[in-house]
């Protein structure tokens, strides 16, 4: 505030400065008018110079077309993900004996007999797959031969374990032994036992048994949505995990999917017109975002150039250095947001075109890019709400509070991470929600928002007294510090900033040197004095004051 008053008081010495710097009053007023025009909103700029608000028009169009593009891709991506998940569930029910949708844990085996029976069960189901499945699953065919099922066991090279005498001798190097079984090969109960190079040897401290198989299918549900079906290769690995050597072998299925265009296809009544329309629409989105990108980059560059001009002028005219906050006024954060959004949309559109033409299958990357870009486009709408006074005070509050909020979050994050590491190490062995560092952060964030408190306390009841006591001190202190102190201080920061902004708007006093300088220009947009604003002021400043 003092800087603003000093700036206004210095107005009385303007003639002396003009004389020493070689600047006439008209040059200074023209530059002040340029600055005021730069910070006008699109409607005021239109009234001032009659310039069409192209960026505003393009942003409005982008909101519509990017949202339509995202919805279109989202529906296609949903069908793909659903198809993959349902096939994975199919494989678990087909190949895992006694599988009953184990949501609370993987399927586990405890005896050698169970392990052998499960392996025989999997191989039998695979060799008779065509007679079992209700889907359109098929074996992979390469050069006229079906890809075989591969059964591998992984174990230590040499090991002698004698728990009775508390002795062991282990060579930590790992060996892998595999056999192949073709789809049409019949399997008896003695096939594995009589194979010359294969037998399950639990005495050598078996680490795991892995079964590799490949199946093919076609996703036909896309036909109903006027999309060409994709062909899928499922590379399946059934893992019998015995690395813990605890007497419990966990069994689960891992599935790696490859999506590609089918080699020969025909859908009655289709001409590919829908595909061409989608590609044309994606091209329109690409061009709109590219035009927006060019316009916003040009505006950012112009703002940076004007910032340098203002710095030179301020140093010559007032013999002062422009503050960093005033410099940042020239860099429009909304344009930066739009530039990031445009780059992500352009990249996502290219990937989407590649997916539709079956050259690419990066569904996840494309969905992240398009989803984030659409979110940023909608967030950018807030910029245009700032043209209205009632909304502008909220936006100014967010912008003014951001630095203090960031510093506050850094301090709070340090305390938060301390609790995360402590909970992971101490409570992790006794509580599922603290088993990994990622789970700890999720659990504490839920507690921070008042969610799932009782169940978190409840699961620690049956532990040792020392761990139980520590868990109570840990949870009570975390909840008390973060809910009653940290969150309250966070809200107080926002509230204090809001009151400050509201006070300044009520008094209508400039809050920075830049705003005070611009406030001296009383020309309205409709005055017509913005038509011939001098664009070479910086050169005059440079030659007149520093030549």
């Amino acid at each position: 505030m003092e800087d603003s008053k000093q700036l206004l008081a210095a107005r009385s010495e303007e003639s002396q400065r003009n004389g020493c710097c070689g600047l006439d009053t008209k040059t200074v007023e023209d530059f002040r008018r340029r600055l005021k025009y730069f910070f006008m909103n699109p409607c005021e700029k239109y009234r001032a110079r009659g310039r069409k608000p192209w960026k505003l028009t393009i942003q409005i169009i982008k909101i519509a077309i990017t949202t339509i593009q995202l919805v279109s891709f989202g529906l296609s991506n949903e069908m793909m993900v659903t198809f993959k998940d349902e096939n994975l569930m199919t494989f678990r029910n087909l190949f895992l004996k006694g599988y009953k949708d184990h949501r609370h844990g993987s399927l586990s085996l405890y005896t050698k007999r169970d392990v052998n029976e499960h392996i025989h069960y999997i191989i039998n189901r695979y060799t008779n797959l065509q007679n079992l499945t209700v889907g359109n699953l098929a074996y992979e065919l390469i050069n006229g031969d079906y890809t075989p099922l591969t059964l591998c066991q992984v174990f230590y090279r040499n090991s002698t374990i004698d728990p009775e005498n508390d002795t062991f001798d282990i060579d930590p190097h790992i060996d892998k032994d595999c056999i192949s079984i073709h789809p049409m090969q019949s399997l008896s109960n003695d096939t594995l036992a009589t194979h010359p190079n294969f037998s399950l040897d639990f005495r050598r401290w078996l680490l795991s048994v892995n079964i590799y198989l490949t199946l093919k299918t076609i996703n036909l549900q896309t036909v109903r949505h006027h999309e060409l079906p994709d062909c899928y290769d499922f590379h399946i690995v059934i893992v019998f995990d015995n690395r813990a050597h605890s007497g419990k072998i966990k069994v689960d299925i891992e599935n790696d999917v490859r999506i590609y265009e089918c080699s020969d296809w025909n859908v009655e009544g289709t001409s590919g017109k829908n595909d061409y329309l989608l590609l044309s629409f994606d091209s329109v989105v690409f061009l709109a975002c590219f035009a927006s990108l060019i316009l916003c980059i040009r505006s950012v560059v112009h703002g940076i150039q004007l910032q340098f001009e203002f710095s030179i002028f301020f140093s010559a005219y007032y013999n002062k250095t422009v503050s960093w906050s005033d410099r940042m006024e020239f860099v429009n954060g909304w344009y930066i947001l739009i530039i990031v959004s445009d780059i992500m949309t352009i990249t996502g559109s290219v990937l989407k075109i590649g997916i539709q033409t079956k050259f690419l299958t990066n569904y996840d990357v494309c969905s992240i890019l398009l989803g984030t870009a659409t979110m940023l486009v909608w967030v950018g709408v807030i910029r245009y709400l700032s043209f209205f006074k009632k909304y502008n005070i909220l936006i100014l509050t967010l912008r003014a509070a951001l630095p203090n909020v960031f510093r506050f979050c850094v301090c709070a994050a340090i305390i938060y991470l301390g609790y995360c590491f402590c909970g992971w190490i101490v409570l992790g062995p006794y509580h599922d929600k603290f088993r990994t560092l990622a789970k700890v952060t999720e659990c504490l964030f839920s507690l921070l928002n008042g969610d799932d408190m009782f169940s978190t306390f409840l699961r620690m009841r049956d532990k040792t007294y020392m761990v139980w006591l520590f868990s109570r001190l840990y949870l009570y202190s975390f909840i008390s510090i973060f809910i009653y102190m940290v969150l309250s201080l966070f809200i107080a920061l926002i509230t204090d900033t809001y009151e400050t902004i509201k006070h300044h708007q009520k008094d209508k006093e400039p809050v920075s040197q830049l705003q005070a300088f611009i406030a001296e220009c009383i020309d309205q947009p409709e005055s017509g004095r913005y038509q011939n604003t001098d664009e070479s002021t910086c050169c005059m400043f440079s030659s007149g004051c520093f030549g």
Side-chain angles (χ1 to χ4, degrees), residues 252-290:
D252 200 3
I253 289 183
E254 299 173 2
N255 185 25
D256 184 26
V257 184
R258 186 175 74 91
I259 306 172
Y260 57 95
E261 184 180 11
C262 297
S263 58
D264 187 16
W265 58 269
N266 179 43
V267 181
E268 291 293 334
T270 61
S271 60
K273 182 179 179 180
N274 291 324
D275 291 335
Y276 291 127
L277 290 176
L278 285 174
L279 292 176
S280 300
F281 183 79
D282 291 333
S283 300
V284 170
V285 175
F286 179 93
L287 293 175
C289 291
F290 186 76

Side-chain angles (χ1 to χ4, degrees), residues 309-371:
E309 294 181 28
F310 181 70
S311 300
I312 295 172
F313 166 80
F314 215 72
S315 176
Y317 194 67
Y318 293 107
N319 196 25
K320 290 184 178 181
T321 302
V322 179
S323 65
W324 178 254
S325 60
D326 281 350
R327 286 177 178 269
M328 293 306 297
E329 289 284 337
F330 290 91
V331 182
N332 195 319
W334 295 111
Y335 289 154
I336 303 298
L337 183 76
I338 294 172
I339 288 172
V340 173
S341 171
D342 288 336
I343 292 174
M344 297 183 75
T345 304
I346 290 172
T347 307
S349 297
V350 172
L351 288 177
K352 185 174 182 290
I353 292 173
I355 291 172
Q356 288 176 345
T357 55
K358 311 304 178 185
F359 287 107
L360 299 172
T361 58
N362 300 321
Y363 279 89
D364 292 338
V365 176
C366 184
S367 62
I368 291 173
L369 289 173
L370 293 181

Side-chain angles (χ1 to χ4, degrees), residues 180-429:
S180 296
I181 300 173
H182 289 271
M184 302 307 175
Q185 178 179 340
S186 61
L187 183 71
S188 64
N189 292 333
D190 298 328
T191 301
L192 297 180
T194 58
H195 196 280
N197 296 319
F198 192 91
S199 63
L200 292 178
D201 190 355
F202 293 93
R203 294 183 179 180
R204 295 180 64 183
W205 278 67
L206 184 70
L207 291 172
S208 67
V209 177
N210 302 325
I211 301 177
Y212 304 90
L213 51 99
T214 302
L215 296 174
K216 300 167 68 71
T217 189
I218 301 175
N219 185 4
L220 296 176
Q221 64 176 326
T222 57
V223 174
R224 293 182 288 106
H225 298 273
H226 307 289
E227 294 184 21
L228 290 179
D230 292 321
C231 287
Y232 287 69
D233 281 353
F234 292 103
H235 299 278
I236 305 165
V237 183
I238 304 175
V239 181
F240 294 75
D241 187 2
N242 191 40
R243 289 173 297 178
H245 299 290
S246 60
K248 175 182 178 180
I249 296 180
K250 299 178 182 179
V251 185
D252 200 3
I253 289 183
E254 299 173 2
N255 185 25
D256 184 26
V257 184
R258 186 175 74 91
I259 306 172
Y260 57 95
E261 184 180 11
C262 297
S263 58
D264 187 16
W265 58 269
N266 179 43
V267 181
E268 291 293 334
T270 61
S271 60
K273 182 179 179 180
N274 291 324
D275 291 335
Y276 291 127
L277 290 176
L278 285 174
L279 292 176
S280 300
F281 183 79
D282 291 333
S283 300
V284 170
V285 175
F286 179 93
L287 293 175
C289 291
F290 186 76
S292 172
L293 179 65
I294 297 300
L295 291 174
C296 289
I297 290 177
R298 189 188 69 170
S299 297
V300 171
V301 172
H302 177 61
I304 295 174
Q305 291 174 345
L306 198 58
Q307 177 201 108
F308 285 117
E309 294 181 28
F310 181 70
S311 300
I312 295 172
F313 166 80
F314 215 72
S315 176
Y317 194 67
Y318 293 107
N319 196 25
K320 290 184 178 181
T321 302
V322 179
S323 65
W324 178 254
S325 60
D326 281 350
R327 286 177 178 269
M328 293 306 297
E329 289 284 337
F330 290 91
V331 182
N332 195 319
W334 295 111
Y335 289 154
I336 303 298
L337 183 76
I338 294 172
I339 288 172
V340 173
S341 171
D342 288 336
I343 292 174
M344 297 183 75
T345 304
I346 290 172
T347 307
S349 297
V350 172
L351 288 177
K352 185 174 182 290
I353 292 173
I355 291 172
Q356 288 176 345
T357 55
K358 311 304 178 185
F359 287 107
L360 299 172
T361 58
N362 300 321
Y363 279 89
D364 292 338
V365 176
C366 184
S367 62
I368 291 173
L369 289 173
L370 293 181
T372 306
T374 305
M375 178 189 70
L376 295 179
V377 168
W378 280 94
V379 170
V381 176
I382 297 177
R383 173 176 182 258
Y384 303 105
L385 294 178
S386 65
F387 301 153
F388 304 96
K389 185 176 180 181
K390 295 294 184 181
Y391 293 100
N392 188 44
I393 188 172
L394 301 177
I395 298 169
L396 290 176
T397 300
L398 293 175
R399 186 174 66 178
L402 189 61
N404 288 332
V405 168
F406 178 76
R407 297 187 199 96
F408 178 81
C409 289
V410 170
C411 297
I414 294 173
I415 303 174
Y416 188 82
L417 287 175
Y419 270 90
C420 287
F421 283 110
C422 178
W424 175 37
I425 297 300
V426 179
L427 302 181

Side-chain angles (χ1 to χ4, degrees), residues 17-46:
R17 290 194 185 93
N18 291 347
C20 71
C21 295
L23 298 175
D24 56 20
T25 303
K26 182 179 182 303
T27 302
V28 175
E29 290 301 324
D30 285 345
F31 183 63
R32 183 180 283 116
R33 199 175 293 114
R34 281 185 62 199
L35 292 176
K36 184 172 182 179
Y37 177 81
F38 176 78
F39 289 102
M40 287 180 180
N41 64 51
C43 297
E44 291 174 337
K45 287 182 178 180
Y46 177 75

Side-chain angles (χ1 to χ4, degrees), residues 143-167:
N143 298 325
D145 296 325
Y146 289 112
T147 302
L149 175 149
T150 303
L151 174 62
C152 299
Q153 60 176 333
V154 182
F155 46 78
Y156 289 121
R157 180 172 299 173
N158 292 304
S159 61
T160 303
I161 311 298
D162 189 0
E164 182 180 355
N165 297 318
D166 300 328
T167 61

Side-chain angles (χ1 to χ4, degrees), residues 75-86:
L75 295 175
S76 177
N77 188 41
E78 181 182 7
M79 286 190 292
M80 183 272 299
V81 173
T82 302
F83 187 72
K84 288 167 58 177
D85 290 343
E86 290 180 353

